Amino acid sequence: MDRGNNWDWEPGKREIGDLAAWSGRYDMVYAPCVSPDGENIAAIVKTGDDEWSVCVNGRTWDARFEKIWNLMFLPDNRLIAMVSDSAVWTVAIDGKTWDNWYEFVWSPVFGAESGRITVAAQAGLRYFAVTEDTPWANDFNALTSLTTTRDGQTSAAVVQHGSFPEADIDKFQEGYFTAALNGSAWDSCYVNAWEPELSEDGRHLAAAVRTSIYNYTIAIDGRTWDKTFSCVWEPKFNPKDNSVTAPVKVPDGWTIARNADPIWQGRYVQLWHHMYSPDGSRVAAIGAPEYGKWTIVENDRPWRIRFKDLVTDAVYSPAGDRIACVGKSDGKWHVALNDFIWDTPWDMAWQPVFSPDGRHAAALVEKDGKYTIAVNGRPADITFAAAWQPVFSPDGGRLLIKGVLPQSMGGQYCRYVLKTENVAG
Amino acid sequence: MKKQNNLNNTQNPGQIHDIGIKRGAGRLSREKIASVLEKLIETEGGARLSAYINTCVHCGLCSDACHHYLSRGCDPRFSPAGKVKQTVSTILAKKGKVSPEFIKRTCEIAFTECNLCRRCQLYCPFGIDISYLMLFIRRACHLLGVVPQYIQDTAHSHSATMNQMWVRDDEWIDTLQWQEEEARDEIPDLRIPIDKQGADIFYSVIGPEPKFRPQLIYQMAVIMHAAGADWTLPSAPGWDNSDMCMYTGDVEMTARLKKVHFEAAIGLKNKRIVMGECGHAFRSVYDVGNRLLGWKMPPLPTVHAISFYSELLEEGRIEIDHKFERPVTFHDPCNIVRGRGLHETARYIINRVCKTFIELEPNREHNFCCGAGGGVINCGPPFKTKRVESNKVKADQLAAAREKGAEVVIAPCHNCHGGLEEIIEHYELGMELMFLSDILYECIKKK
Ligand code: SF4
Ligand code: SF4
């Protein structure tokens, strides 16, 4: 997959599509989205009575459908949507539908590095996943929490294996839920399974499980840890050695455990969404060292800063030496990087994006309905009516900004390439 | 002929067959009970428990607050302090050394003879929160595996699907698309936006809406459309804000449910959460679940539909086309009135939209519970007769409003609808029940 090497990185502004003009051509235009390279903007459009299509850069797909939803560009710039005709559903990619149709398709997940797509599907009240038009070999009574690897080759989900009579509370507690990898369910079933997590190579699968209505633990490839807890959150594989860790609740608070043994000394009021640096040498989580005070905890050391409302969207830099996140206090949203909060508070902030060399971080932010990009804390001096997350060039020297200009400036969707040094704070 | 509350017909305490209670208690031994209760008292029965128990002077002032007590001929077994005496106090006095039979009766009291409505707290000179004590008992019952079947099944549904009605992920999305399609027959450019990143409003509902009352989603879509609101619903689990685990004592599942609900909104970058017309869900999201997770307040601003409608009217974002003709009365739901003080907000809406408003007596924070709340109605059919008999005062209260001319009862809460429906039917009151959104849908200018 092209990771941006062949994109147009020439500094300047290019007008790609006139969204406002589309509104005159169609009865309805909605759910606009833009491609990773910024070269395309698409939206769902109404082309007739109960007839819908997709408009890309002003051109309408030839195909027409009864319903369309979930329009999105994949990392490889393909445009997909869930489409329905004669009350059955499939995936359309760049206007061409898959061969197989189902009673419903939803929950598209894709390999971040390949764009390979998998969706959840239902036919005859049986549930399974479909990858690039090939369904899993097995189907189940229910399926949820679909996920896939970065290469998109492996998919996994929580599945219900077998059925139990309605309102039969004893049967339910015998355990009917498990996880399935590429359609093969684990042999063991649990009262519940949640938050399936694949190892990077797709060879291992872990999930949070409840072995009785009181006991929570982590199962890896169908085998549980030998201790249970009063609660656990989603497990993660260490990319270095595929060992599995998870936040677990022990009597004096939350901590991180590997193989059911705490690996952190600290105990926290809350600890979740832990993540590994790409080389697996560091682990960080969103946590509350004190009640109602949120921060990032890295290798069991909390940052000094605290947010009153929440912390979300934590992300490691590619080299693993920096962490950025979004935090909220007193109703205002902030971006924080390595224990420092960027100056300006916002009405909303999206997950920060690092340059490949990790030197710069940029985030889509919004205030009073105006969107802009903040780079290393400094807001760019253009604002948009709508905008998408920015992308750094492979060498980090350029920044691609994708936004729809306000009506007062024409309302067009534009693609800007800026020199990072000119916008970075 | 009107049905009277004949105590001879009453399902006697302990006589009701519920397999969750019966089988659960059948698996218990005295030793197991003692060890579970001792541990619970030690780990979770902190200062609040002992303060309440030690402060109560048995004055009985709380008795007249309780609809169970009043509806059952002032039988002291149904008084708030009486229920505490039969359950928590006995367990503490006996240091947990009680029998499986005792647990059965205790379970029935905590789950079906108290609605956790907190009316009695208002009348207690010390503000003792009986609902907290009954929840402590429910927690004990959960840990002992003795929970009424139907509410336990609902808790199971929550754990497996993150909604209370076993609604599958595809059924939910399909319902939204179906309602959008229906609504477009009326308003061609109406949308029910799914997964809209950055929308101002994350709208969440309770499981029964897609299952039994999809028209409420339709109506909210019409109201949102008329207001020009920037709103969305999530396609993934997290759309259901309800929480019966809060009422079965499964606090770990409550925490998980609320995490999924809040994170659905946070992940979509929505600025605030508007919740549909449900009371217990509001208690779970605004008061209980957030705090279990370590948040002092909800991480995003969270409002009940009443606050939202009132805001739309005040700001002129929706306009009234015509007033609702039939005389209405209003039932104040416990969780958003005693729990959140939204009584005047509700009256503002009613007075703006309805021609004739007749108050129930008593009203506002003194209103009687519907008899369904606190998960009592979720204990299901085995307890139906008991429920309606336990709320004759509600029937009397509604009948008095009807005598003054009220034809329609507005109740902005799903559980209240369940409870009031049973009461209206059993006592043959002949009144119609409506949500505020039913009235607004009928009366606003649709754009
Ligand atoms: S909380 Fe409500 S139902 Fe329970 S004892 Fe008090 S008044 Fe009665
Ligand atoms: S009013 Fe308060 S002090 Fe008096 S009996 Fe009731 S709970 Fe106890």
Side-chain angles (χ1 to χ4, degrees):
Chain A
M1 196 186 79
D2 176 13
R3 291 175 198 191
N5 288 312
N6 297 319
W7 297 0
D8 176 4
W9 290 107
E10 202 53 48
K13 168 190 167 190
R14 268 201 288 123
E15 202 180 295
I16 305 288
D18 191 351
L19 257 189
W22 298 5
S23 303
R25 281 172 50 199
Y26 308 103
D27 286 346
M28 283 176 82
V29 178
Y30 67 76
C33 57
V34 302
S35 57
D37 63 8
E39 298 287 355
N40 298 290
I41 181 162
I44 298 170
V45 292
K46 187 174 185 188
T47 48
D49 281 347
D50 296 326
E51 192 192 91
W52 300 83
S53 190
V54 169
C55 179
V56 194
N57 290 2
R59 290 183 307 278
T60 318
W61 279 359
D62 291 337
R64 300 286 184 271
F65 302 101
E66 279 168 10
K67 284 181 192 153
I68 304 179
W69 76 295
N70 243 326
L71 182 70
M72 63 172 75
F73 282 95
L74 298 174
D76 57 3
N77 288 311
R78 288 185 298 165
L79 177 60
I80 67 146
M82 317 284 110
V83 298
S84 152
D85 219 357
S86 310
V88 287
W89 288 84
T90 193
V91 173
I93 303 184
D94 292 329
K96 193 177 170 315
T97 60
W98 281 353
D99 290 340
N100 297 302
W101 293 69
Y102 306 97
E103 276 160 55
F104 206 70
V105 290
W106 72 102
S107 187
V109 292
F110 47 81
E113 285 170 0
S114 70
R116 236 175 112 80
I117 175 152
T118 297
V119 296
Q122 183 261 109
L125 289 178
R126 300 293 296 171
Y127 289 78
F128 48 94
V130 184
T131 303
E132 298 286 346
D133 206 8
T134 303
W136 277 0
N138 300 312
D139 54 27
F140 302 94
N141 296 66
L143 178 145
T144 190
S145 305
L146 184 64
T147 183
T148 188
T149 44
R150 290 181 70 77
D151 64 7
Q153 295 291 340
T154 308
S155 55
V158 165
V159 295
Q160 181 188 330
H161 213 1
S163 63
F164 43 89
E166 211 174 300
D168 190 333
I169 54 178
D170 290 341
K171 272 266 170 244
F172 174 86
Q173 290 188 23
E174 286 172 11
Y176 283 82
F177 292 84
T178 189
L181 188 146
N182 282 346
S184 298
W186 290 342
D187 291 335
S188 25
C189 282
Y190 309 95
V191 173
N192 295 105
W194 302 290
E195 302 167 319
E197 183 72 23
L198 284 157
S199 62
E200 239 175 49
D201 58 12
R203 289 172 53 205
H204 302 285
L205 174 64
V209 299
R210 198 160 69 144
T211 54
S212 75
I213 61 169
Y214 314 111
N215 296 312
Y216 294 70
T217 192
I218 299 299
I220 305 154
D221 299 331
R223 293 171 64 94
T224 54
W225 282 353
D226 59 11
K227 277 182 218 133
T228 63
F229 302 88
S230 62
C231 197
V232 300
W233 302 129
E234 82 272 32
K236 285 275 154 66
F237 285 89
N238 183 331
K240 191 167 62 183
D241 57 9
N242 272 348
S243 63
V244 174
T245 46
V248 300
K249 196 175 185 193
V250 291
D252 46 354
W254 282 89
T255 190
I256 300 285
R258 178 184 293 123
N259 265 337
D261 292 321
I263 55 168
W264 284 6
Q265 303 295 315
R267 299 292 181 262
Y268 300 86
V269 170
Q270 189 54 268
L271 206 56
W272 53 33
H273 299 293
H274 77 305
M275 57 178 188
Y276 279 95
S277 59
D279 68 358
S281 65
R282 297 164 180 230
V283 60
I286 294 168
E290 295 164 74
Y291 186 68
K293 295 184 178 169
W294 298 85
T295 192
I296 296 290
V297 186
E298 191 185 24
N299 289 345
D300 206 8
R301 275 193 307 279
W303 281 359
R304 286 170 299 111
I305 56 169
R306 298 285 183 272
F307 291 98
K308 289 186 200 163
D309 299 350
L310 65 90
V311 170
T312 183
D313 292 321
V315 57
Y316 262 112
S317 63
D321 55 345
R322 307 174 91 193
I323 295 174
C325 70
V326 168
K328 178 173 166 267
S329 280
D330 299 322
K332 285 290 170 194
W333 295 79
H334 304 263
V335 177
L337 181 67
N338 271 16
D339 210 0
F340 285 96
I341 303 176
W342 287 357
D343 285 343
T344 323
W346 302 94
D347 293 346
M348 186 51 73
W350 273 253
Q351 184 174 52
V353 177
F354 280 104
S355 59
D357 61 8
R359 283 178 55 217
H360 306 288
L364 169 64
V365 289
E366 179 264 324
K367 193 180 221 162
D368 298 328
K370 296 185 184 111
Y371 294 78
T372 190
I373 306 296
V375 189
N376 300 345
R378 187 177 129 196
D381 53 13
I382 23 172
T383 59
F384 300 96
W388 288 265
Q389 271 165 307
V391 188
F392 283 99
S393 61
D395 65 3
R398 306 274 196 276
L399 184 67
L400 169 63
I401 297 180
K402 303 173 267 186
V404 176
L405 294 172
Q407 282 303 325
S408 58
M409 291 175 67
Q412 294 90 353
Y413 161 65
C414 295
R415 179 189 190 277
Y416 289 75
V417 173
L418 306 174
K419 287 187 175 166
T420 307
E421 62 194 31
N422 292 346
V423 280
Chain B
M1 198 185 82
K2 277 184 204 148
K3 286 183 193 161
Q4 291 304 314
N5 196 17
N6 179 352
L7 285 180
N8 293 330
N9 287 338
T10 300
Q11 288 170 304
N12 284 320
Q15 300 295 302
I16 297 168
H17 180 76
D18 181 291
I19 60 161
I21 299 179
K22 190 163 176 250
R23 284 198 208 144
R27 289 190 279 258
L28 292 175
S29 64
R30 291 186 82 99
E31 293 69 36
K32 159 103 187 188
I33 296 170
S35 86
V36 168
L37 294 181
E38 268 172 42
K39 187 167 168 221
L40 174 69
I41 293 162
E42 189 191 314
T43 54
E44 296 180 30
R48 194 171 170 192
L49 178 72
S50 46
Y52 284 157
I53 295 295
N54 296 329
T55 308
C56 177
V57 293
H58 310 287
C59 65
L61 284 172
C62 51
S63 299
D64 283 342
C66 183
H67 53 284
H68 292 271
Y69 171 82
L70 294 174
S71 300
R72 290 182 174 276
C74 300
D75 181 339
R77 288 180 301 174
F78 290 88
S79 71
K83 286 176 261 199
V84 173
K85 187 162 175 254
Q86 293 170 79
T87 58
V88 201
S89 304
T90 310
I91 287 171
L92 291 176
K94 296 192 172 179
K95 298 197 166 48
K97 294 186 178 58
V98 294
S99 67
E101 269 313 304
F102 175 89
I103 293 298
K104 270 165 83 177
R105 176 73 193 118
T106 289
C107 174
E108 191 179 329
I109 294 171
F111 276 91
T112 73
E113 295 172 17
C114 174
N115 293 91
L116 315 174
C117 76
R118 298 197 272 217
R119 190 171 192 266
C120 49
Q121 187 181 9
L122 221 57
Y123 292 80
C124 169
F126 305 106
I128 292 173
D129 184 357
I130 304 287
S131 81
Y132 165 80
L133 297 171
M134 290 298 118
L135 275 169
F136 184 79
I137 290 296
R138 292 192 190 189
R139 172 75 172 156
C141 291
H142 162 72
L143 294 173
L144 290 166
V146 185
V147 172
Q149 177 195 6
Y150 283 88
I151 193 168
Q152 185 61 48
D153 180 61
T154 308
H156 288 163
S157 169
H158 275 303
S159 73
T161 64
M162 298 291 138
N163 70 75
Q164 67 160 288
M165 302 299 302
W166 297 103
V167 177
R168 302 274 163 89
D169 294 1
D170 56 320
E171 291 173 321
W172 160 247
I173 305 162
D174 186 52
T175 304
L176 296 182
Q177 293 177 338
W178 165 47
Q179 288 309 302
E180 182 182 69
E181 211 179 344
E182 295 267 304
R184 275 185 185 153
D185 287 343
E186 187 182 357
I187 299 167
D189 60 342
L190 180 139
R191 281 198 63 212
I192 296 187
I194 300 175
D195 292 336
K196 187 175 177 206
Q197 277 273 333
D200 281 341
I201 295 166
F202 174 94
Y203 180 57
S204 61
V205 301
I206 75 168
E209 290 206 15
K211 196 86 181 175
F212 301 122
R213 300 185 199 263
Q215 82 278 6
L216 291 177
I217 298 170
Y218 176 124
Q219 288 173 181
M220 192 50 138
V222 170
I223 293 168
M224 292 283 188
H225 185 84
D230 179 19
W231 70 298
T232 194
L233 295 131
S235 64
W239 55 266
D240 181 356
N241 50 31
S242 74
D243 177 14
M244 278 303 132
C245 298
M246 169 175 72
Y247 289 149
T248 61
D250 189 351
V251 295
E252 291 80 10
M253 269 312 305
T254 286
R256 184 169 295 267
L257 294 172
K258 296 308 106 170
K259 177 174 185 276
V260 170
H261 176 249
F262 285 128
E263 288 186 346
I266 294 168
L268 285 171
K269 295 289 168 191
N270 300 142
K271 288 187 181 143
R272 62 171 174 155
I273 297 171
V274 173
M275 298 175 57
E277 293 182 49
C278 181
H280 94 272
F282 192 77
R283 181 177 185 161
S284 168
V285 170
Y286 193 82
D287 179 12
V288 179
N290 51 331
R291 292 178 173 135
L292 284 172
L293 290 164
W295 279 304
K296 286 183 183 169
M297 292 303 288
L300 298 182
T302 301
V303 296
H304 185 270
I306 288 187
S307 309
F308 181 61
Y309 301 147
S310 136
E311 174 190 315
L312 296 183
L313 284 166
E314 258 175 279
E315 291 175 3
R317 292 175 63 191
I318 50 174
E319 289 172 67
I320 304 304
D321 178 69
H322 58 275
K323 284 208 162 189
F324 189 76
E325 288 289 335
R326 283 180 293 159
V328 302
T329 188
F330 180 70
H331 165 83
D332 292 273
C334 310
N335 285 319
I336 55 169
V337 170
R338 272 190 290 282
R340 183 67 180 100
L342 297 182
H343 39 285
E344 298 307 339
T345 314
R347 281 162 180 76
Y348 167 76
I349 301 166
I350 295 165
N351 286 318
R352 285 284 306 267
V353 191
C354 301
K355 218 167 186 171
T356 313
F357 174 38
I358 296 157
E359 286 281 11
L360 285 180
E361 297 295 341
N363 54 52
R364 297 176 167 84
E365 71 271 33
H366 298 286
N367 183 37
F368 285 115
C369 172
C370 62
V376 172
I377 197 165
N378 305 76
C379 296
F383 300 93
K384 183 177 173 187
T385 308
K386 184 172 180 181
R387 276 196 299 277
V388 290
E389 287 178 347
S390 257
N391 213 353
K392 184 175 178 301
V393 288
K394 186 86 235 171
D396 294 343
Q397 195 193 12
L398 292 177
R402 189 194 53 191
E403 294 314 308
K404 291 184 203 161
E407 293 174 14
V408 171
V409 186
I410 302 174
C413 169
H414 279 268
N415 268 358
C416 296
H417 268 245
L420 297 178
E421 220 162 73
E422 286 181 347
I423 287 165
I424 289 170
E425 188 209 318
H426 179 85
Y427 294 97
E428 295 170 11
L429 296 173
M431 298 172 91
E432 191 184 345
L433 258 175
M434 292 178 96
F435 286 93
L436 274 169
S437 80
D438 293 321
I439 308 254
L440 284 170
Y441 170 75
E442 205 176 308
C443 298
I444 59 168
K445 277 189 190 149
K446 298 187 184 107
K447 290 175 190 155

